Amino acid sequence: MSFSHLRLLVLCLSLLAASCSIAFQSDELLIDDEEFGLEGGVQSKSPDLSLTRSQPSATTTTRKRFSDPDSDSKIQFSLEHAFGDSNFSPAGTFTARLKTWNHGGQTLTKLRFSRNAFTAEEERNFELLLQSDDFYRIRLPSNVLSPPGRDFVISSVKARCLARESLDEHFVIHTDGVNILAVNYGAPGSCPYPRQMKLPAKWSFNSYTILKNSEQAPRAPVFTEDILSGEVGEGEVVQPPERSFWAKYWMYLIPLGLIVMNAITQAMNMPEEQAGGQSAGQTQQPAAALQRGPTSAVRRR
Amino acid sequence: MGMAIKDFLLLLVLFFSFTNPSFSLYEDQVGLTDWHQQYIGKVKQAVFHTQKTGRKRVVVSTEENVIASLDLRRGEIFWRHVFGSDDAIDGIDIALGKYVITLSSEGSVLRAWNLPDGQMVWESFLQGTKPSKSLLSVPTNLKVDKDNAIFVHGKGSLHAVSSIDGVILWKKDFAAKSVEVQQIIHPLGSDVIYAVGSDSSSQFGAYQINVKNGELLKHNAASFPGGFSRELLLISGDMLVALDAATGSSLVTINFQDEEISFQQTDISNLVGDFSGTAVLLPSKLPGMFSMKVDALVIFIRVTDEGNLEVVGKISDPAVVSDALLISEGQQAFALLEHGDGKIHLKVKPVNDWSSDLLKESIVMDRQRGIVHRIFINNYIRTDRSHGFRALIVMEDHSLLLLQQGEIVWSREDGLASIVDATTSELPVEKVGVSVAKVEENLFEWLKGHMLKLKGTLMLASPEDVAAIQGMRLKSSQKSKMTRDHNGFRKLLIVLTRAGKVFALHTGDGRVVWSLLLPLLRNSGPCENPTGLNTYQWRVPHHHAMDENPSFVIVGRCGQSSNAPGTLSFVDSYTGKEIKSLGLTHSVVQVIPLQITDSTDQRLHLVIDADQHAYLYPRTSDAISLLQREFSNIYWYSVDTDNGIIKGHALKSKCIQKDDEYCFSSRDIWSIVFPADSEKIIAAVRRKLNEVVHTQAKVTADQDVMYKHISKNLLFVATVAPKASGEIGTATPEESWLAVYLIDTITGRILHRMTHHGSQGPVRAVFSENWVVYHYFNLRAHRYEMSVIEIYDQSRADNKDVLKLVLGKHNLTSPISSYSRPEVVTKSQYYFFTHSVKAIAVTSTAKGITSKQLLIGTIGDQVLALDKRYLDPRRTVNPSPAEREEGIIPLTDSLPIIPQSYVTHALRVEGLRGIVTIPSKLESTALVFVYGVDLFYTQIAPSKTYDSLTDDFSYALLLITIVALIVAIFVTWVLSEKKELQDKWR
């Protein structure tokens, strides 16, 4: 536990030493720069982690470096879980930093999660869930400052989706300021439908958490003259097609060639026909068969 | 270079001519496949006009906020105006003999319309401070040259308005006074107007006001111990009647024109003996008399000059009473209408003599029209110089009938103006075996028709022929047949109206095939204020019960609130008979048609009540066993707009507390809580359950494949800032935003979340396949915008590798589960759109191959077809040639409105509320039914009819061409043989 913590710390330190030049608040960032804490029994770094890292609100940490450190405050809110239809009981704690902006808005950043290990009874309950393919439910308060806010946000998953080697779980917490809109809970990977009954080898959780804020819709494109200039500009781009002369005009060239060939053979046959020999016409290629109708008509005349 | 530009322009022209498929019609094609019906809604008030040409007309105002002038002879609409949904009509009258005056919007808008043609003459906005009863009083003795004022009470003040130009002459504010004005009385030719009313306690007040300048002449007030009810009924110029508020068991007559106000109280039991229940005063205006409903009896009571009451007559309820009508100097008459053994009995009596009848008629009435709700009478002079009466009656099903000389002169099905829900049903299959005579006749007709068409094609037709061709096309007997057709164009449209009546309309010509007033949903039925909610297809004979008729179920509830008990009515769609009906013990909040049908082809439905219990219908053990198989796979969601919470539910087990084996309890499996201070749900839209998607893959121009994320369990939700949830213009761009969400309804995952700053509702959205299109207002740009979100599945993107496909290492066949972590990408784009929108729908076809069109119900009550390709998020300013080939249109900032692409062509569907698209059997064609106050139906082919010949295709011309060609071949053959022979002999 502490070892891994240290490792993380060292990692962050080295990262910071390389990039960060503002000294006075570097120690703040050190511990909590990780957006998603992963704790519990085993702390294997999953490839998923790096994948999800790009998503969270990285802007909040970078944009306002100079904001008053005093306006940050640490808050905690608890995760509760329930087995099937049982009552909710505490299952872990989320720790986050609440940033207050100059304009009065508040955002949650630097979310960390520590999960309580299953007790023996909880393990037994979970096994029952696995057997009956039932729901494992979790909930969070909808407001982190005054939990539970108006109501709890609930999420649930079929227990069989979580059980692998150990228990893998994945939280996506949708926030809006200090409010939690929803928590999406489930397995980090896929969970195909005929869910197989499988007991985990290790009764410990691998937890991945992501904080998500709303994206801003980009502005609708406003352009009036751009279109015209764009189209004219494009006319020049379109002009050099890489297709060759042959590729472009083969459909005209082939019939033309046939006609020319036909004309040549006709011209060659003309003197022979004068002599009364008609057999020469039979030796034409099959490709010229099309032309035969009209030519024979010509001949008969 | 110049050549290249020319080439390019040519290409561009070709491209645009290809990308703008014209959906337009030729003038002579109007009415071939479409029909349009105009309605007005349930009539609230009718005013007859007695002078000159006005005699033939009646002006009516309706509950759909329509004012219309109807032809008294045939019931047709001369002119009509549909007011907005928030502009309810409070009163109408005729002023100066040529203007129709309407008072609307709770007494704040006064308009005058020209009686002959319905042009607006003037409009006045009356300012006021507090909501109050709105009253309109137009003096009746108007001489045309004299400018008499109209008196309007609304929003707590009394206005006198000039009837010539609508100028406000004076205004008297009552808002500060505690008394709420209930009646304004203007005695004939008097210079004084009385405003009388009562306040919340027992105070009664009467104001005398000078007609000329609005000066308050006198104010009398008196209090009556115990108080009286709100309704004050005017008996004569100085007498009012009310019920006392405390017990409701005695009548109070109020005399107010004397020096002081006097009250006189009479117990109802003294007049009619003992009674139970409550007494209700009927609002008919009868001089010296009033009527009252007590214990299923309507009692007529005369008021003597001294204020004494005496009962003059009793009739049994249900009965209606008209207002008094002046028939000659000093003689007034009124009509009353009773029901009895399938007939209605109309009596017209003089006001001062109860025992005699001026008119007594009995008319057989269709049971499906229910009871009479309102009656308006009008008199005329018969050929023998005696008085004749005609009565306009409004029935329970909202239809309007004119009675004259003991007959129904005309009837209008105005219930169709208030459609609640619409569904379709197939027609019966055609019976084989048609008589020979019929075939022969048909053959002759067919030949004749085609010869005519041929003449038309070859431009040989005379004008009469052209007319004949047009007539033939319009009333083609094919399209109105009562059997199923090959293309699936002929269907029954089953519509449920607000009156609780179900109509089956034929898609061919829009006629009513049958109609049924549902016993459970009629007002006079077992429940109070029933409301019809939805219709669902209950049985579509497909596999098992081929000889059974299809049927559908109508879901309603007994009362207005959402936890009122529900009702189910099962109706046979061929015969229009009710098979059975159920009054439920639980409420109905949501109905889920399941994908399962039982052995008799009945579809299983889950009815969810207010406590999130699920009830299974049909109630058979067979259905239970079928449900058990899918038990763990049934999920649904509920949207609580008031609290801003969306919840997901799944079935849990049988109900414990209830002794009902068809009842199941549920549990919440997810919830989304929107912060109350920043987001308010204004729209939640999901895909149509019966939509067919042709393919999941979408091949792009560069031979790449994108996989659509196709899930029936996606929900689109739009929220706005609570401040910005009002009208456009009430919030600044800084304090308004619009957030959109795509939510998986099985797990509650938010797949996409985006905020549009500076935008607000109303949001109209449509969800189809893997895309959603929504329409909202952008406050910063001061324009409406339309956005599209497309959602693609990334987890299948790896399947493009051919080697993997060969080796079988693909996941194309693996089932999709919502519990897998979704790997989706969304693409979106924003466009300006000129119109504000009332409804959006999307075309649906049988196999989903035909490209889609959005059907946009515009603010002008028309339907615009907009190609979905205009709302493609992949549009760029400079699409590459490959993309152009694929059909991507260069990006523009606004969506084009092509005048030819109005589905409704020149017509308007007044008060448009909904658009329904139904696939036909022909892949290219979809059926569109648009409803509002009017109805409109048409067929549209978004990619043109590529799979069939048009109706007016001339088979005769084709045959003749073929025959002519064959003849020509033979002739030339013979000729060439001859020539060859001659050549050989030469």
Side-chain angles (χ1 to χ4, degrees):
Chain A
M1 171 85 191
S2 57
F3 171 70
S4 63
H5 225 111
L6 225 147
R7 204 171 58 181
L8 228 153
L9 199 126
V10 169
L11 193 122
C12 293
L13 247 176
S14 57
L15 262 171
L16 262 159
S19 62
C20 189
S21 55
I22 303 161
F24 71 94
Q25 50 124 265
S26 58
D27 56 344
E28 284 285 325
L29 284 168
L30 272 183
I31 311 154
D32 296 324
D33 205 23
E34 201 59 75
E35 291 290 344
F36 20 73
L38 53 157
E39 277 170 76
V42 185
Q43 299 232 325
S44 64
K45 191 162 179 163
S46 129
D48 196 37
L49 201 66
S50 55
L51 200 148
T52 51
R53 189 187 291 208
S54 60
Q55 307 253 16
S57 48
T59 49
T60 54
T61 51
T62 51
R63 204 197 297 159
K64 297 262 177 171
R65 295 232 149 179
F66 43 82
S67 73
D68 190 358
D70 289 349
S71 67
D72 288 12
S73 60
K74 212 163 193 168
I75 48 157
Q76 279 197 346
F77 50 97
S78 68
L79 172 84
E80 294 179 311
H81 64 175
F83 301 90
D85 298 314
S86 75
N87 289 331
F88 283 95
S89 58
T93 321
F94 281 97
T95 324
R97 193 154 282 279
L98 186 68
K99 261 210 151 105
T100 308
W101 302 115
N102 298 332
H103 56 77
Q106 290 178 310
T107 42
L108 285 176
T109 55
K110 302 171 193 171
L111 186 73
R112 298 181 54 101
F113 177 50
S114 79
R115 208 186 214 292
N116 309 341
F118 269 168
T119 61
E121 196 197 340
E122 283 170 338
E123 261 178 48
R124 212 166 40 248
N125 284 335
F126 200 84
E127 252 187 79
L128 284 176
L129 289 187
L130 289 177
Q131 269 152 21
S132 58
D133 191 21
D134 210 343
F135 288 107
Y136 175 67
R137 304 198 288 161
I138 58 144
R139 72 177 186 187
L140 288 174
S142 68
N143 189 311
V144 293
L145 287 184
S146 58
R150 288 198 300 140
D151 203 347
F152 285 98
V153 291
I154 308 174
S155 188
S156 40
V157 71
K158 292 274 184 182
R160 286 187 187 178
C161 290
L162 297 180
R164 308 215 174 164
E165 275 307 297
S166 53
L167 295 166
D168 293 350
E169 60 181 0
H170 186 271
F171 295 89
V172 183
I173 299 174
H174 290 267
T175 60
D176 178 35
V178 295
N179 295 303
I180 294 178
L181 262 74
V183 53
N184 299 343
Y185 181 66
S190 67
C191 181
Y193 170 55
R195 288 177 285 267
Q196 300 302 320
M197 162 70 195
K198 186 185 167 199
L199 282 178
K202 278 176 273 181
W203 285 97
S204 57
F205 273 98
N206 285 332
S207 311
Y208 312 110
T209 59
I210 296 179
L211 261 186
K212 263 194 180 172
N213 271 313
S214 187
E215 289 170 40
Q216 275 219 25
R219 279 294 328 117
V222 183
F223 47 86
T224 41
E225 296 106 74
D226 292 18
I227 291 177
L228 280 176
S229 60
E231 303 236 318
V232 171
E234 202 211 4
E236 288 158 355
V237 177
V238 165
Q239 202 202 351
E242 51 274 77
R243 289 193 293 176
S244 64
F245 178 77
W246 174 249
K248 260 183 358 192
Y249 300 112
W250 62 271
M251 63 286 264
Y252 309 114
L253 289 177
I254 288 179
L256 198 80
L258 286 174
I259 289 164
V260 169
M261 272 166 72
N262 206 21
I264 290 169
T265 40
Q266 289 251 325
M268 277 165 66
N269 285 352
M270 209 69 89
E272 286 175 45
E273 210 174 325
Q274 296 283 33
Q278 290 202 337
S279 61
Q282 251 88 40
T283 58
Q284 281 175 359
Q285 309 96 314
L290 272 172
Q291 309 287 347
R292 199 180 290 176
T295 48
S296 57
V298 167
R299 250 180 267 134
R300 279 198 193 107
R301 204 168 287 153
Chain B
M1 182 62 207
M3 190 68 185
I5 287 176
K6 220 182 201 172
D7 263 11
F8 176 68
L9 281 178
L10 196 80
L11 212 123
L12 211 73
V13 166
L14 273 173
F15 173 71
F16 274 106
S17 61
F18 170 68
T19 52
N20 293 344
S22 60
F23 328 107
S24 48
L25 301 168
Y26 290 104
E27 196 182 346
D28 63 341
Q29 285 175 320
V30 167
L32 279 187
T33 55
D34 54 324
W35 46 261
H36 180 234
Q37 295 175 355
Q38 295 186 314
Y39 294 103
I40 52 175
K42 185 182 185 182
V43 169
K44 256 199 306 205
Q45 203 182 343
V47 180
F48 293 91
H49 188 51
T50 43
Q51 289 174 6
K52 294 175 194 162
T53 49
R55 268 181 314 192
K56 296 192 198 118
R57 300 179 173 207
V58 57
V59 179
V60 294
S61 70
T62 73
E63 290 178 359
E64 296 294 325
N65 304 342
V66 177
I67 165 172
S69 167
L70 301 180
D71 183 347
L72 267 183
R73 304 277 151 82
R74 290 183 302 277
E76 285 160 7
I77 299 170
F78 275 123
W79 53 262
R80 177 181 65 152
H81 293 287
V82 182
F83 293 11
S85 57
D86 52 349
D87 195 12
I89 302 173
D90 302 311
I92 59 169
D93 211 333
I94 292 179
L96 294 175
K98 58 180 180 180
Y99 295 158
V100 180
I101 308 288
T102 62
L103 180 67
S104 58
S105 288
E106 293 164 337
S108 58
V109 185
L110 191 69
R111 297 186 181 100
W113 312 86
N114 195 11
L115 187 58
D117 57 5
Q119 304 268 16
M120 190 194 277
V121 183
W122 51 258
E123 182 178 37
S124 285
F125 294 94
L126 312 175
Q127 306 294 325
T129 44
K130 69 171 189 187
S132 70
K133 194 172 175 183
S134 40
L135 303 161
L136 174 70
S137 163
V138 178
T140 44
N141 64 334
L142 282 178
K143 294 188 185 75
V144 176
D145 49 36
K146 198 177 161 199
D147 180 16
N148 281 41
I150 300 166
F151 302 102
V152 177
H153 180 262
K155 300 244 172 188
S157 42
L158 181 69
H159 299 262
V161 182
S162 158
S163 52
I164 287 175
D165 52 9
V167 171
I168 298 171
L169 301 174
W170 51 260
K171 178 184 170 185
K172 177 80 194 137
D173 201 358
F174 288 104
K177 310 262 190 331
S178 65
V179 170
E180 196 178 307
V181 174
Q182 302 285 333
Q183 290 277 358
I184 45 178
I185 302 139
H186 185 210
L188 271 177
S190 156
D191 283 347
V192 179
I193 184 166
Y194 296 91
V196 296
S198 57
D199 67 353
S200 49
S201 59
S202 54
Q203 195 78 14
F204 177 85
Y207 301 89
Q208 277 187 34
I209 295 157
N210 189 336
V211 169
K212 295 275 179 286
N213 52 17
E215 190 190 335
L216 183 62
L217 298 175
K218 199 158 72 175
H219 174 211
N220 283 346
S223 75
F224 176 73
F228 31 75
S229 63
R230 287 273 128 162
E231 283 82 51
L232 295 173
L233 213 58
L234 189 70
I235 302 299
S236 61
D238 55 357
M239 192 101 66
L240 291 161
V241 165
L243 282 167
D244 76 319
T247 57
S249 61
S250 59
L251 291 163
V252 185
T253 50
I254 307 155
N255 199 326
F256 62 88
Q257 250 173 352
D258 297 334
E259 279 308 302
E260 57 195 58
I261 297 163
S262 63
F263 300 101
Q264 193 169 352
Q265 193 171 5
T266 318
D267 271 349
I268 296 175
S269 51
N270 287 350
L271 292 169
V272 296
D274 286 334
F275 72 102
S276 58
T278 51
V280 180
L281 290 180
L282 296 178
S284 302
K285 288 176 198 143
L286 304 172
M289 254 173 97
F290 66 95
S291 56
M292 185 174 67
K293 194 180 275 190
V294 180
D295 275 351
L297 280 177
V298 175
I299 296 160
F300 294 85
I301 298 166
R302 187 183 310 283
V303 186
T304 59
D305 291 340
E306 299 82 49
N308 294 326
L309 305 179
E310 60 183 44
V311 176
V312 290
K314 290 180 189 177
I315 55 172
S316 63
D317 197 43
V320 286
V321 185
S322 76
D323 287 349
L325 173 78
L326 189 73
I327 48 173
S328 59
E329 271 315 305
Q331 197 185 11
Q332 297 197 48
F334 68 100
L336 54 95
L337 209 149
E338 295 170 274
H339 286 262
D341 54 285
K343 285 184 175 178
I344 52 170
H345 305 288
L346 175 71
K347 283 178 196 158
V348 179
K349 288 176 187 290
V351 169
N352 46 21
D353 184 11
W354 174 264
S355 52
S356 67
D357 289 330
L358 293 170
L359 183 81
K360 199 171 174 182
E361 285 167 355
S362 291
I363 298 150
V364 178
M365 185 54 68
D366 183 4
R367 273 182 192 283
Q368 300 304 340
R369 293 198 189 277
I371 59 167
V372 179
H373 272 185
R374 291 187 186 119
I375 180 167
F376 307 95
I377 58 161
N378 174 229
N379 66 329
Y380 60 96
I381 308 290
R382 288 209 190 109
T383 43
D384 60 354
R385 300 275 163 193
S386 62
H387 287 294
F389 295 92
R390 50 170 89 95
L392 196 64
I393 57 171
V394 182
M395 304 296 292
E396 194 179 2
D397 68 345
H398 297 185
S399 60
L400 184 70
L401 292 87
L402 186 80
L403 308 180
Q404 190 177 330
Q405 295 156 12
E407 275 179 65
I408 299 170
V409 183
W410 50 260
S411 63
R412 294 180 56 86
E413 291 290 356
D414 275 308
L416 285 169
S418 48
I419 289 176
V420 175
D421 195 22
T423 184
T424 54
S425 168
E426 293 288 345
L427 283 161
V429 185
E430 192 158 12
K431 300 272 191 304
V432 281
V434 189
S435 73
V436 180
K438 210 171 174 187
V439 169
E440 274 180 349
E441 188 199 25
N442 280 352
L443 195 71
F444 181 68
E445 286 288 309
W446 185 86
L447 263 179
K448 210 172 98 185
H450 276 295
M451 285 312 291
L452 268 175
K453 267 188 204 169
L454 184 67
K455 273 169 104 178
T457 319
L458 301 176
M459 316 234 177
L460 297 171
S462 60
E464 300 94 79
D465 286 349
V466 173
I469 294 169
Q470 187 65 9
M472 212 162 54
R473 289 166 81 187
L474 284 178
K475 65 168 176 41
S476 142
S477 60
Q478 283 289 319
K479 70 174 188 183
S480 55
K481 263 192 188 167
M482 278 304 295
T483 51
R484 220 174 278 187
D485 66 331
H486 185 67
N487 291 334
F489 291 161
R490 291 202 295 265
K491 284 184 196 310
L492 285 180
L493 289 167
I494 311 281
V495 296
L496 171 66
T497 65
R498 202 172 296 149
K501 195 172 187 181
V502 183
F503 290 89
L505 306 175
H506 195 287
T507 55
D509 50 6
R511 69 176 189 278
V512 175
V513 177
W514 53 257
S515 62
L516 170 72
L517 187 64
L518 292 170
L520 276 179
L521 290 183
R522 54 188 288 186
N523 260 320
S524 55
C527 34
E528 294 264 319
N529 295 323
T531 39
L533 296 176
N534 289 101
T535 60
Y536 297 93
Q537 289 182 343
W538 178 254
R539 174 191 279 151
V540 181
H542 194 57
H543 288 305
H544 308 295
M546 283 307 283
D547 47 344
E548 297 271 355
N549 287 354
S551 57
F552 55 92
V553 60
I554 290 146
V555 184
R557 63 167 74 113
C558 260
Q560 304 286 339
S561 74
S562 65
N563 46 18
T567 63
L568 296 180
S569 308
F570 301 89
V571 179
D572 185 316
S573 59
Y574 287 175
T575 61
K577 297 274 177 294
E578 192 174 49
I579 301 164
K580 64 174 174 182
S581 62
L582 296 172
L584 308 181
T585 51
H586 54 84
S587 59
V588 177
V589 172
Q590 204 177 351
V591 179
I592 307 171
L594 299 176
Q595 295 294 318
I596 319 165
T597 52
D598 72 359
S599 58
T600 56
D601 271 339
Q602 297 184 94
R603 187 165 295 280
L604 269 58
H605 285 69
L606 279 180
V607 177
I608 313 292
D609 73 357
D611 306 323
Q612 297 298 333
H613 287 295
Y615 297 84
L616 178 67
Y617 293 90
R619 296 165 79 89
T620 56
S621 54
D622 184 24
I624 289 254
S625 62
L626 283 167
L627 180 72
Q628 286 298 348
R629 277 183 234 159
E630 293 292 323
F631 194 79
S632 63
N633 290 335
I634 292 168
Y635 301 86
W636 70 93
Y637 67 92
S638 58
V639 181
D640 182 353
T641 29
D642 298 334
N643 293 320
I645 296 177
I646 302 179
K647 277 184 177 164
H649 312 274
L651 286 180
K652 189 164 85 177
S653 59
K654 291 228 159 98
C655 287
I656 306 155
Q657 67 274 38
K658 285 185 187 153
D659 189 26
D660 181 358
E661 61 172 324
Y662 302 102
C663 165
F664 301 94
S665 60
S666 71
R667 57 176 155 207
D668 298 355
I669 51 170
W670 55 265
S671 66
I672 295 174
V673 182
F674 292 105
D677 54 338
S678 64
E679 294 189 34
K680 181 177 187 296
I681 301 172
I682 55 163
V685 175
R686 62 181 304 182
R687 266 180 68 189
K688 253 205 312 199
L689 283 173
N690 55 0
E691 192 186 51
V692 183
V693 179
H694 174 58
T695 172
Q696 195 195 355
K698 182 171 182 176
V699 182
T700 57
D702 47 354
Q703 305 303 312
D704 207 352
V705 182
M706 297 198 314
Y707 290 92
K708 300 171 186 168
H709 182 84
I710 291 168
S711 165
K712 299 224 163 178
N713 306 310
L714 278 184
L715 175 70
F716 168 82
V717 176
T719 65
V720 289
K723 261 189 185 171
S725 59
E727 297 264 300
I728 292 166
T730 51
T732 62
E734 285 70 36
E735 61 191 17
S736 59
W737 55 84
L738 173 85
V740 293
Y741 298 84
L742 284 181
I743 297 165
D744 184 307
T745 58
I746 304 291
T747 57
R749 275 181 207 278
I750 297 178
L751 298 179
H752 178 73
R753 178 182 174 199
M754 199 160 58
T755 311
H756 297 267
H757 284 280
S759 297
Q760 72 168 94
V763 170
R764 302 266 184 270
V766 61
F767 206 140
S768 170
E769 291 196 359
N770 67 325
W771 50 263
V772 56
V773 168
Y774 53 101
H775 177 270
Y776 55 92
F777 191 77
N778 186 332
L779 286 166
R780 290 226 166 85
H782 313 289
R783 282 202 260 185
Y784 283 100
E785 262 181 20
M786 250 169 134
S787 286
V788 58
I789 304 172
E790 290 192 1
I791 179 161
Y792 290 98
D793 195 346
Q794 284 288 298
S795 63
R796 306 201 161 207
D798 305 335
N799 295 325
K800 283 175 288 199
D801 197 338
V802 180
L803 199 70
K804 269 191 183 169
L805 282 176
V806 172
L807 295 174
K809 281 187 180 171
H810 58 86
N811 58 356
L812 284 179
T813 49
S814 67
I816 296 172
S817 166
S818 280
Y819 287 109
S820 303
R821 197 162 73 87
E823 297 171 46
V824 293
V825 286
T826 52
K827 290 169 183 282
S828 46
Q829 189 97 268
Y830 320 90
Y831 304 96
F832 292 124
F833 189 68
T834 321
H835 287 303
S836 64
V837 164
K838 285 186 168 178
I840 308 187
V842 66
T843 57
S844 59
T845 52
K847 301 277 185 295
I849 301 168
T850 308
S851 66
K852 304 245 170 196
Q853 275 184 345
L854 292 169
L855 300 173
I856 299 167
T858 63
I859 195 74
D861 292 321
Q862 293 204 302
V863 177
L864 178 75
L866 183 70
D867 224 88
K868 167 66 177 60
R869 282 182 304 163
Y870 287 109
L871 282 151
D872 189 332
R874 290 167 59 232
R875 282 175 70 179
T876 50
V877 178
N878 296 319
S880 67
E883 281 177 331
R884 273 169 197 262
E885 214 170 284
E886 193 196 328
I888 288 186
I889 303 161
L891 183 65
T892 49
D893 57 351
S894 56
L895 294 170
I897 291 169
I898 305 155
Q900 290 96 323
S901 61
Y902 279 103
V903 172
T904 45
H905 43 89
L907 303 169
R908 291 180 63 176
V909 188
E910 295 282 2
L912 189 148
R913 279 200 310 272
I915 303 169
V916 181
T917 60
I918 311 124
S920 68
K921 277 188 202 151
L922 212 57
E923 170 57 30
S924 67
T925 312
L927 315 179
V928 179
F929 177 56
V930 188
Y931 61 86
V933 173
D934 291 354
L935 308 182
F936 179 77
Y937 164 89
T938 191
Q939 298 166 7
I940 59 167
S943 309
K944 297 210 175 171
T945 49
Y946 54 80
D947 51 1
S948 72
L949 293 169
T950 51
D951 263 355
D952 50 345
F953 181 80
S954 177
Y955 290 92
L957 183 64
L958 182 71
L959 273 178
I960 289 167
T961 315
I962 291 169
V963 169
L965 278 174
I966 290 170
V967 169
I969 285 168
F970 275 97
V971 169
T972 48
W973 180 61
V974 169
L975 284 177
S976 95
E977 284 288 299
K978 268 189 189 164
K979 190 152 193 217
E980 205 163 320
L981 198 64
Q982 273 178 1
D983 280 355
K984 281 186 180 161
W985 276 107
R986 201 189 290 160

